[in-house]
C-alpha cells in the first residue's frame, strides 16, 4: 500500500514537472513569437535600417540673428530645434538618468531587473520603461493603446526598437534624441524650445532647479503643467531632487535647500505675434514663400518651411533690434499721451479725425471695415454684405491694446476700429551703408494688434526728406555749393514747364520770406522757395532718375512738386537711398538675409550684394555736408542743444529723452507733410543710416499744431534715444567720426572760410583801368 502511494506521488511529480516545463517552454516560445512577430512587423509597421539611422522628425525653421540669437521659428505642429549632447547641462543629464532610468549606462535598451520588479509588483514600485524604450515609443510606436492586447504588442515593438537603437547610437546620442523629441506642451517641442518657453533661456543657462523642473515634466507634461498646476510641478521637481540624493548626485543638505526654492517660471510663448522683430519675421515669411516656390529641391519637390529644419541667417542684430523697439515704444507711449490729451470729445468732437465731416468719417470707417480680417472671413463664409455690416454694430467681448496693457472689454467691432484709429503709428529701420546689412526693422510697436508693417508695406508722403535728392542732383549737375545763395522770395514755375499744367508757386512754412539764403541754410530750415528755384534749374526728370538709381521704386510723378516730398514712399526705400550719401555715392541694396541652410548645414542660398555707383564721391560728400547743417543750425538742432526743457512745454513733456546733446558729426533731415499728417527723421553717422516715420492710420489723424506734429517732435526723439543707447555700448562700434571727405574737393563747403576769402579779395586795392589806358 505504501509502495503504491509512493508510485502515485512520483507519477504526480513527473506530471507537475512536465506541466511546469511545458508552461516554461510555451512562455519562451510565446516570448520568442511575441518579439519575433514585432520584429517582422506583424503588429504594425517597424522602422527599416534607414529609418532607424535617420528617424523622421519635423524640425522647425530657425530665424537666426547676426549675433547668433534665434529670433523666431516657423513650425506647423512641432516647434523643435535639436541640440547636441554637449549643449545639455550636466545636472540635467544626471537628473534625467536618476529619475527615469537609473541603470541607463548598464543595459542595452531593456532593463531586465526593472522589468521583473514591475511584473512582480504590477508597476506599483515604478515602471520598467528605459529611456531608450521611451524614445522608441516617441519616434516609432506612438501613443499607448487602451486595448490590453494592443498594449502588449506595442510594448514588444518598443523592446525590439530599443535594442536596435542601442546598437546604432551611443548613450549620449540617445539621451540627446530623447530630450530633443519630448513634447513639453505649449509648442515646447524638445529641450531647447522648453528652456526658452518656460525659462526664457538656452539649455546651457538652466540652473539645477530649472533642469529638475523640466525632467519632472517628462513623466506627463499635461499632468505636470507649470502654468496650470505649479504646486504639483514643484512637488514633482522635489521628487527629482530626492532621486538625485538616492544616486549620490547631490547631498541631503543641498536637497533641503533646493526644495525650498520657489517655482520660478518665465513663461515666454513663441509666436510670430510676440517677441522680438515680429514685423521683420512677417516680411521674412513672405520672402521665404517666394524663395521656396522659385528654388525646388534637386528631386523637384519643394522645401517645407515648417518641417524641414531650415536655418535662415539674417542681418538683424538682436541687441540693436531690442534697442530700436525700446526707442519706438518709449517715445510713442509718451507722444500718444499728448495726442489723447488733445483729442478728448470736448476738444475734438470728431476725434481722432480732423478736417472731416461726419459723413466723410462714416465712409472712411466703412472702407476700413472692408479691410479687416473679420470682414474677410465672413465674406469667405458667403455671408451677405448687409449682414456683415450689421454684425459690425453689435457688441462683442474683445481684448484691445492700450499702452498700460491689454484690456478686456465689450464693444462693437466698428467702435473698436475707431478706438484703434486714435493710436498714432510708427516705424524705424537701421542699416549699415557700406554693407547694406539691415540691423533693425521696427514695423510698428505691437504686431498682435497692429499688423500692418510700416517699414516696407506702408508708403506715406515723405515731405522735406525728399529735398536732399533735389539738392544732390543740382550739386552733381551744376556743381552748386552749400555756400551759394539764392533769394528767399515767392517763386513760381510757369505753366506748361517741367510737366506743369498750372503755375506752381509753393509757400514757406509760416508764410515768411524776404532774405537771401545759402543752400545750407535753406535745407536746414526746409525753405520751400529755394527748393522751387533749384527744381526750376534742374527739372524733375533728373531728380527722379537719381532717386531711381538710389533704390526708390515707388511712383514719382514728373512734376516740380516732388521737390517738397509729395510722393508716397516706403521707409525701406528711403533708408536704402539715404545710405548712398553716407557710402560716398555708392548705392547698396538693403540686405536682410545672408544665408539659408538645410538641417545638415548645407548652403541653399547665399546673398550677393547688389551695388551701383550713383553719385560722385564729391557730390555725395557735399550733400552730406548740407544735411549736417540740419543738425547744427536747422530743424534737427534739438539733437545738440539743452535747456529748453525748463521753459518749453513740448520739450518738457513731449520730446522724449531731451536733452540729447550729441557732439559728433550727424547728417540728417526732418520731414513734415501737409497738416502734420506725417513726421519723418532721417539720420546718418558714417557707418549707420536710420529712418523714422510717425503718423496716423489716415491722413486726417494728426496733431492740430505743427509744434507737436512736425518731424522734429514726432520722429526725431526716436532716432535720438536709439542712437544714445547704441553709443552707450561701445561694442556696437557706431562711429562718432566725421564723414570721409574726397581727396580732391573742388566745391567749397566751409562757408565761413569762403566768406573770409571773399572779404579779403574785396579789400584789395583795385587798379585804375583808365590809368592803364583802357
Amino acid at each position: 500500500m505504501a509502495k503504491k502511494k509512493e508510485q502515485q506521488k512520483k507519477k504526480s511529480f513527473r506530471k507537475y514537472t512536465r506541466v511546469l516545463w511545458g508552461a516554461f517552454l510555451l512562455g519562451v516560445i510565446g516570448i520568442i513569437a511575441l518579439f519575433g512577430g514585432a520584429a517582422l512587423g506583424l503588429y504594425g509597421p517597424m522602422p527599416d535600417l534607414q529609418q532607424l539611422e535617420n528617424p523622421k522628425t519635423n524640425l522647425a525653421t530657425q530665424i537666426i540673428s547676426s549675433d547668433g540669437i534665434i529670433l523666431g521659428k516657423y513650425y506647423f505642429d512641432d516647434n523643435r530645434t535639436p541640440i547636441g549632447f554637449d549643449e545639455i547641462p550636466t545636472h540635467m543629464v544626471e537628473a534625467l538618468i536618476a529619475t527615469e532610468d537609473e541603470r541607463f549606462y548598464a543595459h542595452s535598451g531593456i532593463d531586465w531587473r526593472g522589468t521583473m520588479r514591475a511584473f512582480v509588483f504590477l508597476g506599483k514600485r515604478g515602471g520598467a520603461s528605459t529611456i531608450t524604450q521611451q524614445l522608441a515609443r516617441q519616434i516609432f510606436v506612438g501613443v499607448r493603446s487602451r486595448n490590453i492586447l494592443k498594449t502588449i504588442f506595442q510594448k514588444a515593438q518598443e523592446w525590439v526598437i530599443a535594442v536596435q537603437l542601442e546598437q546604432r547610437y551611443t548613450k549620449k546620442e540617445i539621451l540627446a534624441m530623447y530630450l530633443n523629441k519630448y513634447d513639453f506642451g505649449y509648442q515646447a517641442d524638445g529641450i531647447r524650445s522648453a528652456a526658452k518657453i518656460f525659462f526664457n533661456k538656452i539649455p546651457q543657462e538652466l540652473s539645477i532647479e530649472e533642469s529638475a523642473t523640466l525632467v519632472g515634466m517628462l513623466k506627463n507634461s499635461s499632468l505636470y503643467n507649470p502654468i496650470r498646476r505649479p504646486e504639483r510641478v514643484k512637488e514633482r521637481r522635489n521628487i527629482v531632487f530626492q532621486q538625485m540624493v538616492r544616486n549620490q548626485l547631490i547631498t541631503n543638505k543641498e536637497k533641503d535647500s533646493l526644495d525650498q526654492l520657489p517655482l520660478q517660471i518665465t513663461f515666454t510663448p513663441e509666436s510670430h505675434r510676440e517677441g522680438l522683430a515680429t514685423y521683420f519675421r512677417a516680411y521674412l515669411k513672405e520672402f521665404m514663400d517666394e524663395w521656396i516656390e522659385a528654388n525646388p529641391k534637386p528631386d523637384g519637390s519643394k522645401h517645407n518651411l515648417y518641417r524641414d529644419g531650415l536655418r535662415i541667417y539674417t542681418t538683424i542684430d538682436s541687441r540693436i533690434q531690442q534697442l530700436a523697439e525700446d526707442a519706438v515704444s518709449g517715445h510713442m507711449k509718451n507722444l500718444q499721451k499728448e495726442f489723447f490729451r488733445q483729442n478728448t470729445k470736448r476738444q475734438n468732437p470728431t476725434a481722432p479725425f480732423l478736417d472731416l465731416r461726419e459723413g466723410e468719417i462714416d465712409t472712411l470707417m466703412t472702407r476700413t471695415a472692408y479691410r479687416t480680417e473679420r470682414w474677410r472671413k465672413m465674406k469667405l463664409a458667403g455671408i451677405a454684405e448687409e449682414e456683415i455690416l450689421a454684425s459690425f454694430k453689435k457688441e462683442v467681448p474683445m481684448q484691445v491694446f492700450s499702452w498700460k496693457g491689454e484690456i478686456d472689454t465689450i464693444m462693437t467691432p466698428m467702435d473698436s476700429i475707431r478706438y484703434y484709429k486714435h493710436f498714432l503709428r510708427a516705424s524705424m529701420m537701421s542699416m549699415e551703408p557700406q554693407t547694406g546689412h539691415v540691423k533693425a526693422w521696427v514695423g510698428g510697436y505691437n504686431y498682435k494688434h497692429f499688423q500692418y508693417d510700416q517699414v516696407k508695406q506702408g508708403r506715406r508722403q515723405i515731405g522735406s526728406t525728399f529735398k536732399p535728392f533735389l539738392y544732390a542732383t543740382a550739386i552733381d549737375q551744376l556743381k552748386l555749393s552749400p555756400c551759394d545763395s539764392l533769394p528767399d522770395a515767392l517763386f513760381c514755375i510757369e505753366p506748361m514747364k517741367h510737366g506743369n499744367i498750372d503755375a506752381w508757386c509753393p509757400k514757406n512754412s509760416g508764410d515768411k520770406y524776404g532774405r537771401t539764403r545759402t543752400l545750407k541754410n535753406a535745407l536746414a530750415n526746409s525753405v520751400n522757395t529755394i527748393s522751387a528755384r533749384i527744381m526750376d534749374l534742374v527739372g524733375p526728370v533728373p531728380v527722379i532718375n537719381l532717386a531711381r538709381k538710389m533704390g526708390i521704386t515707388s511712383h514719382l510723378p514728373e512734376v516740380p512738386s516732388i521737390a517738397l516730398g509729395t510722393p508716397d514712399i516706403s521707409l525701406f526705400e528711403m533708408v536704402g537711398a539715404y545710405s548712398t550719401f553716407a557710402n560716398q555715392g555708392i548705392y547698396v541694396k538693403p540686405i536682410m538675409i545672408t544665408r539659408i541652410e538645410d538641417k545638415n548645414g548645407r548652403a541653399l542660398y547665399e546673398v550677393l550684394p547688389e551695388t551701383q555707383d550713383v553719385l560722385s564721391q564729391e557730390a555725395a560728400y557735399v550733400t552730406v555736408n548740407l544735411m549736417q547743417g540740419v543738425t547744427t543750425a536747422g530743424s534737427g538742432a534739438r539733437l545738440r542743444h539743452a535747456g529748453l526743457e525748463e521753459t518749453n512745454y513740448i520739450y518738457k513733456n513731449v520730446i522724449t529723452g531731451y536733452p540729447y546733446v550729441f557732439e559728433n558729426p550727424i547728417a540728417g533731415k526732418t520731414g513734415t507733410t501737409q497738416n502734420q499728417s506725417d513726421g519723418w527723421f532721417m539720420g546718418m553717422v558714417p557707418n549707420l543710416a536710420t529712418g523714422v516715420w510717425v503718423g496716423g492710420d489716415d491722413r486726417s489723424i494728426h496733431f492740430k499744431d505743427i509744434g507737436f506734429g512736425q518731424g522734429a517732435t514726432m520722429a526725431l526723439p526716436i532716432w535720438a534715444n536709439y542712437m544714445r543707447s547704441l553709443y552707450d555700448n561701445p561694442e556696437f562700434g557706431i562711429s562718432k567720426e566725421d564723414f570721409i571727405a574726397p581727396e580732391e574737393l573742388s566745391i567749397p563747403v566751409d562757408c565761413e572760410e569762403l566768406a573770409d576769402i571773399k572779404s579779403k579779395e574785396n579789400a584789395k586795392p583795385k587798379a585804375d583801368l583808365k590809368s592803364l589806358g583802357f
Side-chain angles (χ1 to χ4, degrees):
M1 190 76 175
K3 192 175 181 179
K4 189 175 181 180
K5 284 183 179 180
E6 188 176 340
Q7 288 175 343
Q8 285 177 342
K9 282 182 179 180
K10 288 181 178 179
K11 189 176 181 180
S12 296
F13 180 75
R14 284 195 298 271
K15 184 178 180 181
Y16 175 76
T17 303
R18 283 196 298 271
V19 170
L20 191 63
W21 275 104
F24 175 74
L25 289 173
L26 281 174
V28 171
I29 293 170
I31 290 172
I32 293 172
L34 178 66
F35 290 106
L40 294 171
L42 298 180
Y43 316 135
M46 292 286 284
D48 57 25
L49 181 63
Q50 185 177 359
Q51 288 174 307
L52 280 169
E53 293 182 349
N54 298 284
K56 189 173 182 180
T57 302
N58 290 335
L59 301 178
T61 290
Q62 302 175 65
I63 307 165
I64 304 170
S65 69
S66 63
D67 56 320
I69 301 298
I70 295 178
L71 294 173
K73 302 176 187 177
Y74 299 118
Y75 54 87
F76 183 66
D77 289 322
D78 296 350
N79 176 20
R80 182 173 289 104
T81 304
I83 61 173
F85 180 83
D86 293 340
E87 298 175 74
I88 303 171
T90 301
H91 47 65
M92 174 171 282
V93 174
E94 292 174 344
L96 171 62
I97 293 173
T99 308
E100 294 292 326
D101 192 352
E102 289 179 319
R103 286 173 290 280
F104 176 72
Y105 287 112
H107 63 66
S108 298
I110 301 171
D111 181 4
W112 295 108
R113 182 174 160 188
T115 300
M116 292 302 297
R117 183 193 65 227
F119 180 77
V120 172
F121 295 101
L122 301 177
K124 293 180 180 178
R125 294 192 180 180
S129 288
T130 64
I131 288 173
T132 317
Q133 285 175 264
Q134 293 178 50
L135 176 62
R137 181 169 68 248
Q138 289 179 36
I139 298 178
F140 299 111
V141 180
V143 180
R144 179 81 76 226
S145 173
R146 293 186 178 182
N147 182 289
I148 296 176
L149 185 61
K150 285 185 178 180
T151 298
I152 293 172
F153 290 156
Q154 284 181 325
K155 198 69 179 175
Q157 287 178 303
E158 285 176 22
W159 282 24
V160 172
I161 295 170
V163 172
Q164 292 175 330
L165 288 172
E166 290 274 353
Q167 291 172 347
R168 287 170 174 79
Y169 295 97
T170 66
K171 291 290 187 180
K172 289 182 178 181
E173 289 172 331
I174 288 170
L175 287 170
M177 289 170 67
Y178 176 70
L179 289 172
N180 283 325
K181 181 64 181 174
Y182 192 81
D183 179 1
F184 290 86
Y186 295 102
Q187 299 291 351
D189 298 306
I191 194 63
R192 182 165 190 165
S193 293
K196 177 71 172 65
I197 288 172
F198 293 112
F199 299 106
N200 198 25
K201 293 181 177 180
I202 59 174
Q204 299 98 309
E205 296 172 342
L206 293 172
S207 62
I208 187 171
E209 64 271 18
E210 291 165 342
S211 290
T213 300
L214 294 177
V215 168
M217 292 172 65
L218 294 170
K219 186 176 180 67
N220 185 327
S221 60
S222 179
L223 181 64
Y224 297 102
N225 182 321
I227 307 305
R228 295 167 54 196
R229 301 184 178 97
E231 288 304 317
R232 182 175 289 180
V233 173
K234 184 179 178 182
E235 290 173 8
R236 177 64 185 166
R237 181 201 69 179
N238 292 349
I239 290 173
V240 174
F241 292 145
Q242 181 61 52
Q243 287 298 108
M244 295 181 77
V245 171
R246 169 188 162 96
N247 286 270
Q248 299 180 343
L249 297 169
I250 58 174
T251 64
N252 273 307
K253 186 177 180 180
E254 288 173 323
K255 173 192 174 298
D256 292 340
S257 297
L258 291 167
D259 282 349
Q260 301 306 312
L261 295 174
L263 190 70
Q264 293 185 324
I265 300 296
T266 306
F267 189 50
T268 315
E270 292 194 338
S271 161
H272 286 296
R273 290 188 168 199
E274 298 165 321
L276 199 62
T278 47
Y279 293 88
F280 172 73
R281 285 185 272 150
Y283 155 75
L284 192 58
K285 167 66 169 55
E286 293 182 8
F287 172 89
M288 287 304 299
D289 287 344
E290 293 177 5
W291 182 86
I292 287 170
E293 192 67 31
N295 296 272
K297 296 179 182 178
D299 62 2
S301 63
K302 293 180 180 178
H303 295 280
N304 191 311
L305 184 64
Y306 303 103
R307 293 176 173 153
D308 283 358
L310 302 176
R311 291 195 283 266
I312 308 169
Y313 292 90
T314 72
T315 61
I316 299 294
D317 186 304
S318 68
R319 302 161 299 173
I320 294 177
Q321 177 71 26
Q322 185 65 66
L323 295 176
E325 293 187 12
D326 290 346
V328 170
S329 295
H331 177 60
M332 292 309 296
K333 183 177 182 179
N334 193 37
L335 187 68
Q336 190 65 51
K337 190 188 303 180
E338 181 62 30
F339 189 75
F340 280 148
R341 190 186 71 82
Q342 296 185 22
N343 280 276
T344 62
K345 282 285 185 182
R346 181 179 175 183
Q347 291 177 302
N348 180 13
T350 61
F353 308 102
L354 286 171
D355 315 316
L356 290 184
R357 298 186 300 274
E358 281 300 334
E360 293 173 317
I361 292 173
D362 292 340
T363 301
L364 186 152
M365 294 287 290
T366 302
R367 283 204 310 266
T368 305
Y370 290 157
R371 300 195 299 267
T372 62
E373 187 69 7
R374 176 188 290 269
W375 188 287
R376 187 186 70 83
K377 287 181 177 179
M378 295 180 77
K379 193 71 175 175
L380 287 174
I383 301 173
E385 189 169 308
E386 294 79 9
E387 191 176 344
I388 297 175
L389 196 56
S391 74
F392 271 73
K393 299 175 182 177
K394 295 178 181 177
E395 289 188 340
V396 293
M398 63 178 67
Q399 196 174 61
V400 297
F401 171 83
S402 86
W403 279 109
K404 294 180 179 179
E406 291 181 328
I407 300 172
D408 291 314
T409 186
I410 297 175
M411 66 171 69
T412 70
M414 196 64 81
D415 285 342
S416 75
I417 291 173
R418 190 157 187 162
Y419 170 80
Y420 277 114
K421 284 190 179 293
H422 278 78
F423 289 91
L424 298 173
R425 312 299 167 85
S427 60
M428 176 181 177
M429 177 176 146
S430 201
M431 168 181 157
E432 293 177 348
Q434 292 75 25
T435 64
H437 287 191
V438 175
K439 308 311 293 182
W441 177 305
V442 186
Y445 44 74
N446 188 296
Y447 187 77
K448 182 178 179 181
H449 293 279
F450 305 96
Q451 294 186 14
Y452 191 72
D453 173 34
Q454 297 286 359
V455 168
K456 206 166 193 296
Q457 281 182 300
R459 285 177 164 82
R460 297 293 291 248
Q461 278 193 350
I462 56 171
S464 293
T465 55
F466 191 83
K467 288 177 180 175
F469 304 130
L470 169 66
Y471 279 70
T473 303
I475 292 165
D476 194 44
Q477 290 189 355
L478 307 176
K479 303 299 179 184
L480 293 184
S481 162
C483 309
D484 288 335
S485 298
L486 290 171
D488 177 12
L490 272 173
F491 179 83
C492 293
I493 295 180
E494 60 265 29
M496 309 310 293
K497 185 178 182 182
H498 298 316
N500 261 355
I501 295 176
D502 299 317
W504 182 59
C505 309
K507 294 181 179 181
N508 289 336
S509 176
D511 214 15
K512 295 178 181 178
Y513 314 92
R515 55 178 287 195
T516 299
R517 294 179 182 267
T518 63
L519 298 192
K520 196 165 196 172
N521 179 279
L523 184 65
N525 293 282
S526 284
V527 180
N528 292 338
T529 57
I530 304 296
S531 296
R533 291 176 185 275
I534 296 173
M535 177 57 78
D536 191 42
L537 291 172
V538 297
V541 174
V543 179
I544 292 171
N545 290 340
L546 177 66
R548 290 274 179 253
K549 291 176 183 177
M550 297 171 79
I552 304 293
T553 58
S554 297
H555 175 63
L556 300 175
E558 293 182 9
V559 293
S561 60
I562 63 169
L564 306 188
T566 53
D568 292 343
I569 301 177
S570 71
L571 179 63
F572 179 85
E573 296 168 83
M574 289 295 289
V575 174
Y578 264 66
S579 293
T580 307
F581 298 126
N583 193 33
Q584 303 175 68
I586 301 172
Y587 169 72
V588 181
K589 187 176 181 180
I591 296 170
M592 286 72 73
I593 301 164
T594 56
R595 180 181 173 93
I596 300 172
E597 294 179 352
D598 65 14
K599 64 181 180 181
N600 298 314
R602 183 172 64 91
L604 303 175
Y605 167 85
E606 289 185 280
V607 71
L608 293 173
E610 297 179 38
T611 65
Q612 182 179 1
D613 288 343
V614 175
L615 285 168
S616 67
Q617 187 179 355
E618 181 180 52
Y621 178 76
V622 173
T623 307
V624 166
N625 182 270
L626 276 170
M627 287 191 281
Q628 284 181 277
V630 174
T631 68
T632 54
S635 54
R638 59 187 65 182
L639 289 171
R640 304 194 181 279
H641 59 59
L644 292 177
E645 74 278 9
E646 299 175 5
T647 57
N648 187 293
Y649 175 86
I650 294 177
Y651 282 86
K652 182 179 180 179
N653 298 285
V654 185
I655 302 178
T656 313
Y658 178 86
Y660 312 112
V661 199
F662 289 104
E663 297 179 352
N664 57 292
I666 298 170
K669 187 69 191 80
T670 58
T672 308
T673 62
Q674 191 172 10
N675 296 325
Q676 300 81 243
S677 295
D678 306 273
W680 292 79
F681 184 71
M682 308 296 299
M684 299 179 294
V685 293
N687 63 349
L688 195 68
T690 303
V692 181
W693 168 85
V694 176
D697 191 39
D698 298 286
R699 293 189 57 78
S700 55
I701 301 169
H702 55 82
F703 281 103
K704 190 174 183 179
D705 184 78
I706 194 168
F708 296 94
Q710 62 180 301
T713 301
M714 293 210 296
L716 179 144
I718 293 175
W719 188 92
N721 288 305
Y722 166 67
M723 291 299 294
R724 184 160 57 188
S725 63
L726 289 179
Y727 283 132
D728 285 343
N729 188 343
E731 185 181 346
F732 295 133
I734 306 302
S735 175
K736 287 188 176 182
E737 303 301 316
D738 205 346
F739 294 87
I740 299 174
E743 292 182 5
E744 295 183 7
L745 186 62
S746 62
I747 300 174
V749 294
D750 189 332
C751 299
E752 290 184 5
E753 182 181 337
L754 184 64
D756 288 341
I757 292 171
K758 288 183 177 180
S759 177
K760 289 176 182 177
E761 287 179 350
N762 291 333
K764 289 180 181 178
K766 300 287 190 299
D768 187 349
L769 296 181
K770 287 184 179 180
S771 67
L772 296 175
F774 288 95

